[in-house]
Structures are given as C-alpha cells and as structure tokens.
Amino acid sequence: MPLLAALVFVIQLCFAYHALKTGRPYWWLFVIMAFPVMGCILYYFIEVFPTSTESRRAAKAMRALSKALNPDRTLNERMADLEACGSVENRIALARTCIANRKFYEAAMLYRSCMTGIYENDPDIRFGLANALELTSVHEEAVKIASRLRETHPNFRPNDVRLVLAKAFEGAGRLDEALAEFKVLADTYPGEEGRWRYGAILKRTGKRTEANDVFQTMLRRAERMPPHYRDAQGEWLSLARENLQA
C-alpha cells in the first residue's frame, strides 16, 4: 500500500506540474491534490484529452462512422433546401455537397446554372465550376475558366486556383504547363499535396531522379512535424513512400 500511495502521489505531482507549466487555472492544483485519483482523471479528460492526437483521431472516427451510417444525409438536406428555395446560395451549397459526395457532373451543372446576372463573374462560382469540370475530365474548359479567373481575380484563393489549373493542364496533356504550375505549388500549397503532385509529374515526364528527391524531401520534412500533421497528410506521404519503393 505505501508503494501504491507513493505512485499515486508521483502521478499527482506530474499532473500538477503539467497544469502549472501549461498555464491552467490554479484551482486545478487543489482538485488534483485533494482528490488523488478522480482529480487526475478529471484533469486529463477536461484539459488534456480534447487537445490530444487521440481526441482528433476519435473525432475523425466518429465523423467517418456517421457518414457510413447515413452517407446521403447532408445531400438530402441540401436538396430539400433547394426545393424550398431555389436561390443561388442554396444551389452553391448543394454543389459543394455534390463535390464532397463525388457527384461531380451534378456539381458542374449546378455551378453553371448560377452564372447568370450579377453572379456571372462571381469568383467563388467560377472556381467551383472549374474544379467540378476538372473532376469530370472536361479539362480544356476547366483550363479556360481557371486561367480567366486568375487573370480577373489574382488574389482569390491563388493556390487553390493554381492547383485546379495545374491538374487541368495535366489532364489535357499539356505537361510542360502543368509542370511549371506544380513546381510553384510544391513550395506554396499548404500540406504535402502540392509537393507530391510535383514529384508525380516529374516522374511522369521521365525525370525520375528529381521526382525521388521530391518524395524524399516530403518524408524528411514530415519526420520533423508533429504527429497530427503526419496524420492529416498521411495520404500524400503514403504515396511518396510507394513511389520510392516502386
């Protein structure tokens, strides 16, 4: 028993130190020290767990489970909203939900229907249409819309517009133009997608050594990043490993 009591006391001290070091309210010290077991448990689940990697993973798992049990719930809600009111705002909301549900052709139709009157040159709608067209493999029209959008609204989501344009160039077989865009995205696009796509097109155009350098850089950078970053970028990091092993 004395050993168990000593162990509990050490755990209390660790929790108290964490509370002081991270700037938690001082009353947590009283809770932790006055209630040896329950105080530590309360502190962990109220102050530590919500910001932990485990919490983010749990939340992600719950969202995935909810979507699996009722995959069309949000889509049905957006369709009901549009039936009740056919506003541009409701059409845009439904188009975005269609993209999330991989209904790209329907999304393109919805975005196109919005481009009338005062919304004809709306950058958000034009971007949505270009993205939907690229996803439906209508590459040349996507290039035309994204290029025009970048000319008229250079400050509108520049990295996202560049990504859509680069993918559309690649899909259209205009590889030199795609390579130039992806080279910029490798250093400017948040996360690892831009770097992976740059490495992938280098490999596609026969520049295997340069492509491997990009993939290796991705993996080295990820090792220095916190775990939640590696979790979020797992898809692109896995693709980089696969390409290096191929």
Side-chain angles (χ1 to χ4, degrees):
M1 291 300 291
L3 181 60
L4 179 61
L7 178 61
V8 170
F9 181 67
V10 170
I11 293 173
Q12 286 177 278
L13 290 179
C14 291
F15 275 93
Y17 174 75
H18 184 276
L20 287 172
K21 184 179 179 181
T22 57
R24 261 61 175 193
Y26 285 109
W27 52 263
W28 269 117
L29 299 179
F30 170 77
V31 173
I32 292 168
M33 301 309 294
F35 305 96
V37 177
M38 186 56 65
C40 293
I41 292 174
L42 286 172
Y43 178 79
Y44 176 77
F45 281 104
I46 294 175
E47 294 287 351
V48 179
F49 182 75
T51 60
S52 67
T53 301
E54 289 77 9
S55 175
R56 288 188 288 271
R57 288 175 177 169
K60 185 177 180 180
M62 288 300 295
R63 289 194 296 269
L65 178 61
S66 177
K67 187 174 182 180
L69 293 174
N70 193 359
D72 296 327
R73 177 182 176 183
T74 303
L75 186 62
N76 292 333
E77 289 175 352
R78 295 289 180 265
M79 290 176 67
D81 291 341
L82 186 59
E83 289 175 2
C85 176
S87 66
V88 168
E89 289 77 12
N90 283 345
R91 276 179 277 171
I92 292 173
L94 179 56
R96 289 171 177 164
T97 304
C98 283
I99 292 287
N101 285 271
R102 305 187 65 79
K103 298 182 182 296
F104 306 132
Y105 178 76
E106 292 82 353
M109 290 179 61
L110 285 162
Y111 278 122
R112 205 184 293 277
S113 74
C114 295
M115 294 178 63
T116 59
I118 61 173
Y119 295 100
E120 184 175 0
N121 294 310
D122 183 277
D124 187 53
I125 296 172
R126 289 162 63 196
F127 171 77
L129 178 58
N131 185 42
L133 289 170
E134 192 281 318
L135 291 168
T136 52
S137 299
V138 186
H139 300 301
E140 287 293 355
E141 188 177 0
V143 166
K144 180 180 178 180
I145 294 172
S147 298
R148 180 60 179 162
L149 175 58
R150 188 159 66 174
E151 291 174 5
T152 58
H153 295 79
N155 296 321
F156 177 81
R157 298 175 63 175
N159 282 330
D160 292 323
V161 173
R162 187 184 295 276
L163 180 62
V164 170
L165 181 59
K167 291 193 293 183
F169 275 140
E170 184 176 11
R174 298 163 62 171
L175 299 185
D176 289 341
E177 291 163 290
L179 185 61
E181 300 294 344
F182 281 128
K183 184 175 182 179
V184 176
L185 288 166
D187 294 323
T188 62
Y189 198 78
E192 300 298 332
E193 181 179 1
R195 269 180 287 276
W196 181 82
R197 291 191 180 278
Y198 179 49
I201 197 169
L202 283 169
K203 180 180 176 181
R204 182 179 175 183
T205 53
K207 302 177 176 65
R208 180 68 194 224
T209 301
E210 294 176 50
N212 286 344
D213 287 343
V214 173
F215 298 140
Q216 289 168 354
T217 298
M218 287 175 61
L219 298 177
R220 285 197 299 268
R221 288 183 75 261
E223 289 175 359
R224 299 194 297 269
M225 303 299 282
H228 68 82
Y229 179 88
R230 292 193 292 272
D231 289 341
Q233 302 302 315
E235 175 187 358
W236 309 111
L237 296 172
S238 295
L239 287 170
R241 292 189 192 94
E242 291 173 10
N243 276 270
L244 285 171
Q245 294 168 0

